DNA sequence: CATGAATGAGAGTTCATTCAT
DNA sequence: AATGAATGAACTCTCATTCAT
């Protein structure tokens, strides 16, 4: 069970600039073999290919996607593909790079005007889960590819690590403030709890079709459950 | 992200016969298309093929494994493969079926002579993690295959569900006894916490090679961390 | 379309012993590679194989029939097949030989107590068509095999020739008696008319499933039509 | 006994436009799965493959023909085959389609300036037989394939039906004019007589090699014999 | 830059036949 | 005689990649 720790949730109590510095590495793990197109036509074709690739990958999966499917979808010749990408891996990298922004910046940031750890945690989890839901197909794709291509395994790892470290800092911070249980190692706790949320996200948004009868999980219930368990696990005070 | 919910951990406070009845389904999801060999020689060849298949799968992964690699490893002709299996999927099913016993019955069962929920939980997690570690390569394989073959996705799901339900019963039981937080839904909590442990197991035993520098996680620390977080999350009492 | 000239119809005005002498050759065109079984058990197994082969051939066709299908049907081991036959061709030969009696002797013989050529012809055609109908599946099989195996092409040819020659003699006889048109060569006329009836038989009894809506041909109408055309073609007198 | 009723002979006394409308269906029973090549080079390759396929099929038979034989003969790579055809069946369809024109339109049409049924019939039969002779190898191939591939069985049936119906109309027409025997059903008579000619053609031009000693049939004798028998069978008047 | 046909290595599968038991 | 597992040659089809136009 590949849990996704490539995209992990949690709380963010740290300063924004640090976060950014952490996010840098996962952004560019792929070497740009081809230089970007010079002409306008080139740019258009390239963009069409990336868009088509995303569609085909999400529909057929990475392994079953044939390059000709992609070029067909992009309405260009098979050979044109190689003007922009060396192979399937490279288009996928382009697809992920393009979507990365939204996947990495859950968009919440910090809850304004409060220091309540519980509120911060909840907002953070909500933002994470919402982003996961938005990009569910891509996350599924990433999981699949990580099983097969080491480059993307690495990509997934870096993304997960960024979240885990960010959350670990948050935990350490709360421990220092006396708000969180000091008995646990912040890093390990972050791994466990970040993982917990990512598994829930994966199950809810990616594997949901697998579940035959089960009613789809209610989003808010998901948020409150993982938040509550997380808070409890770290023994946030004033809880009830 | 494929989190593992196919193999989930947890605590077992329920009666043994119930547990068994739950574990039954995942045991035999694959129809035996080929009938078992009648002669002794046949049994030997079949066993050699299954063994070879496990080796090749673990070494090369499911997708890169070629049937001829397997027959070569088993020292038999390519055609002999088809005496026992219809295709790659079927050998894999045989491999998993053979290993299933150990993967499903972490071997612990109950801690004798105690009702202490914390002790029970810890023993349960230790047993689960130990079994995961023993079968790490196979778990990795299962993750990989589940991404590609619906049959095995289903297999993974059933296994996960069995654990999740078992743990959900345990949680409900503790809630009834007033030992666990009654605010959370036992099923959702079980999903989250079981998932948490399985991710940790996956990261520790499967993805360990990925982690370049990080020191390998200490097994006992892993057990105590997840146990503590789990206990806290459910607000076990008497906690320090 | 496979018309059958291996089994041709017609009229038989010649003496029986001549006919028999013609039928001899087609009976044994196949070399008996294996000698007949000595023990009683052997005879039983061989018989079971021939019976099974006929069933499988008629069901699946010669080409799609696998030897293991036959042995399975005969409830014996694959290897046992080779105790009695060298290959698929040989079983088929055995099957045809066994059925030959009924296929070659339409069973009518002569219409007793009449010299009326029309009555004789009609009886002959009726007997031929009835035999064809009885053995339709085998005839279909023979057609199929003849397209593929030279040995059976030869077998088919000999059988057809026997009928054609017999009918040619009948025609020559009638010409001598002044009853049939003397302008046509008896042999050629026999080829044409015998062929005509065999095509009709093939279409009616073998290809009947092909015809989607068409009502199945009425047997008696078939008999009377071919008889009338045949009689007309040779300008039998007194015909209306 | 593969008689051909797929290609049947006869007389054509009907208006041309009707005939055309009947011949349409058999012309295109195969769906063009692959779209036709756009470039000139593509057209050349495709044509080479069809030509090679015809040669190989006629030489080795449909079943024994290997795809690599065809590509080798066409001097192109094995994979190129699949640019134009999905499998062996499809090339064969292309081969037959290409030859269809000549096989379907025996080229005679009507004898100009005469209403003499006998002359019309003879010209029609001559044209049919000549076309059969020209395409003998292909007709043999069609017979063979029809025994094995349902699609081509259907193809054969449609072609036969077209001829049979055309001749049936001719017969009905002559009956109306009082020239032909009114006792027989035009459709059944057409089936029998068309079949008669097609068997003769099959025997003369396809199975001729089988006949060891027999002198090859004289073409003109063939024409006059079947014509005479046909005319007699329908009791054309003024016959000597 | 775009096109789309050509390439060819390589994998899975079938099944008649053999042969040790 | 019977058994049934073992053999391995043969063939089809896929698709990423190249390259002439």
């Amino acid at each position: 069970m590949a849990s996704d720790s490539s995209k992990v949730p949690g709380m963010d109590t740290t300063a924004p600039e640090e976060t950014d510095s952490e996010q840098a590495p996962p952004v560019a793990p792929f070497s740009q073999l081809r230089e970007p197109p010079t002409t306008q036509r080139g740019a258009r074709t390239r963009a069409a290919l990336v868009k088509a690739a995303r569609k085909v990958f999400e529909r057929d999966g990475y392994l079953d996607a044939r390059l000709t499917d992609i070029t067909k979808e992009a309405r260009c010749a098979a050979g044109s593909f190689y003007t922009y990408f060396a192979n399937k891996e490279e288009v996928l990298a382009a697809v992920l790079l393009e979507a990365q922004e939204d996947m990495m910046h859950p968009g919440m940031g910090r809850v304004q005007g409060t220091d309540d750890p519980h509120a911060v945690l909840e907002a953070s989890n909500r933002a994470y889960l919402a982003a996961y839901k938005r990009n569910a197909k891509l996350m599924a794709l990433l999981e699949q590819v990580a099983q097969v291509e080491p480059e993307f395994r690495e990509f997934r790892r870096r993304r997960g690590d960024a979240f885990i470290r960010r959350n670990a800092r948050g935990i350490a911070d709360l421990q220092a403030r006396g708000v969180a249980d000091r008995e646990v190692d912040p890093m390990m706790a972050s791994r466990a709890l970040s993982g917990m949320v990512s598994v829930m996200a994966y199950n809810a948004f990616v594997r949901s079709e697998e579940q035959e009868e089960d009613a789809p999980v209610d989003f808010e219930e998901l948020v409150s459950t993982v938040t509550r368990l997380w808070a409890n696990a770290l023994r946030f005070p004033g809880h009830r």
Side-chain angles (χ1 to χ4, degrees), chain A:
Chain A
M1 116 210 241
S3 74
D4 171 11
S5 342
S6 81
K7 183 69 191 304
V8 289
M11 74 197 127
D12 187 353
T13 65
T14 59
E17 57 284 0
E18 289 187 63
T19 301
D20 288 347
S21 70
E22 298 262 350
Q23 284 169 349
V27 173
F30 310 106
S31 40
Q32 295 285 82
L33 294 186
R34 298 278 189 276
E35 57 257 33
T38 47
T39 71
Q40 204 174 5
R41 177 158 70 139
R44 234 184 299 123
T45 307
R46 203 198 112 104
L49 281 167
V50 173
K51 191 178 169 189
R54 175 166 184 167
K55 181 169 176 183
V56 173
F57 284 148
E58 291 186 345
R59 185 189 63 206
D60 300 341
Y62 179 72
L63 289 160
D64 289 342
R66 280 165 307 164
L67 293 187
T68 60
D69 292 339
I70 295 174
T71 53
K72 211 171 289 167
E73 179 74 33
R75 297 171 174 283
C76 76
S80 300
F81 181 91
Y82 291 89
T83 306
Y84 303 101
F85 311 100
N87 49 42
K88 231 194 327 184
E89 281 183 47
E90 270 195 19
V91 227
L92 176 59
V95 168
L96 289 176
L97 249 28
E98 205 163 80
Q100 177 151 275
E101 198 62 12
D102 184 50
M103 292 166 73
M104 286 301 291
H105 297 276
M108 134 216 93
R110 222 124 301 130
V111 177
Q112 305 300 345
T114 178
D115 247 13
D116 176 18
H118 198 275
V120 169
L121 176 60
E122 183 171 54
S124 175
N125 282 335
R126 178 175 289 108
Y128 173 84
L129 291 166
Y132 204 116
K133 190 174 185 181
R134 274 198 306 279
N135 297 287
K137 282 195 180 161
L138 225 50
M139 295 307 297
L141 182 59
L142 180 55
E143 268 324 294
Q144 189 182 109
V145 181
Q147 291 293 344
V148 165
E149 304 279 1
E151 286 192 38
F152 292 93
R153 194 142 55 224
E154 177 63 14
F155 179 74
R156 176 180 73 170
R157 213 212 70 216
R158 290 203 202 164
R159 300 187 68 246
D161 276 7
F163 278 99
I164 286 170
R165 288 215 199 87
R166 194 186 73 180
N167 289 330
R169 274 197 308 277
I171 291 170
D173 189 43
L174 294 175
Q175 285 176 329
R177 287 162 57 193
V179 178
D181 184 1
R182 282 178 171 147
E183 291 295 310
V184 290
D185 174 58
M187 197 58 188
M188 276 214 92
S190 176
R191 284 211 185 91
L193 297 171
S194 302
M196 175 183 77
V197 183
S198 72
V199 195
M200 292 299 270
Y202 181 74
N203 287 336
F205 307 128
V206 172
R207 294 175 59 182
S208 50
E209 305 127 26
E210 262 179 65
Q211 327 289 357
E212 289 143 18
E213 336 140 31
D214 296 352
V217 194
D218 175 66
F219 185 80
E220 282 306 319
E221 196 187 346
L222 188 60
V223 172
S224 70
T225 300
V226 298
T227 302
R228 179 181 206 93
L229 291 172
W230 182 305
N232 281 349
L234 293 179
R235 319 201 101 221
F236 282 17
H239 202 34
R240 173 119 21 109

